[in-house]
Amino acid sequence: SPSEAHNARYLVIVAPSLPPSSADEGLPVPARTDTSGRLLGRGLPDLKNIRAFVANGAQAVTYGAGTWHAPMVVIGRNPIDFVVVQFANGVAVEDCQERELEEERKLLVAVAKPHRRWWKL
């Protein structure tokens, strides 16, 4: 509820896809394209443009096609149950693609202390 939003927060981490390259040739690609004609689902994560956001328990997140994302991370005082809804065609590698980083990278995410009424902005 909005009255408890300050106690239920989670971290959302996303990265756009890089343009298709020879490094991702083996990835399956849906037949659909976006408005620029680019195939959806092709392109490795662009780690130079990774972004993190803080959401509250009253907010939902929708990822656009071609957006890589990390699992949700609860950072508030209260636990959160997440519900995930996605299109699935039954081809596992098309429904979910995971990518391990080739080198160890450390990401530091600074989360500012929320203002008492930040959820009403």
Side-chain angles (χ1 to χ4, degrees):
S1 73
S3 66
E4 287 292 316
H6 62 285
N7 287 325
R9 299 184 301 148
Y10 60 100
L11 191 60
V12 179
I13 302 171
V14 295
S17 291
L18 290 167
S21 71
S22 60
D24 61 13
E25 273 184 304
L27 294 178
V29 182
R32 300 176 309 155
T33 60
D34 65 11
T35 56
S36 69
R38 183 174 148 193
L39 291 170
L40 298 174
R42 179 90 182 267
L44 298 175
D46 180 358
L47 299 178
K48 290 183 180 174
N49 288 301
I50 198 167
R51 299 289 183 266
F53 304 90
V54 175
N56 69 51
Q59 293 177 303
V61 175
T62 302
Y63 300 111
T67 303
W68 291 84
H69 61 90
M72 305 294 191
V73 177
V74 176
I75 58 175
R77 292 182 186 132
N78 295 345
I80 300 174
D81 290 323
F82 293 103
V83 174
V84 177
V85 178
Q86 73 178 57
F87 170 79
N89 66 4
V91 180
V93 74
E94 290 180 10
D95 292 338
C96 179
Q97 294 179 6
E98 294 181 356
R99 181 75 180 176
E100 288 187 29
L101 300 179
E102 294 174 1
E103 60 187 58
E104 184 176 322
R105 292 182 184 229
K106 293 182 181 181
L107 298 174
L108 177 63
V109 178
V111 179
K113 184 175 181 181
H115 185 274
R116 279 184 77 139
R117 299 182 68 172
W118 70 276
W119 63 91
K120 292 189 178 189
L121 298 177

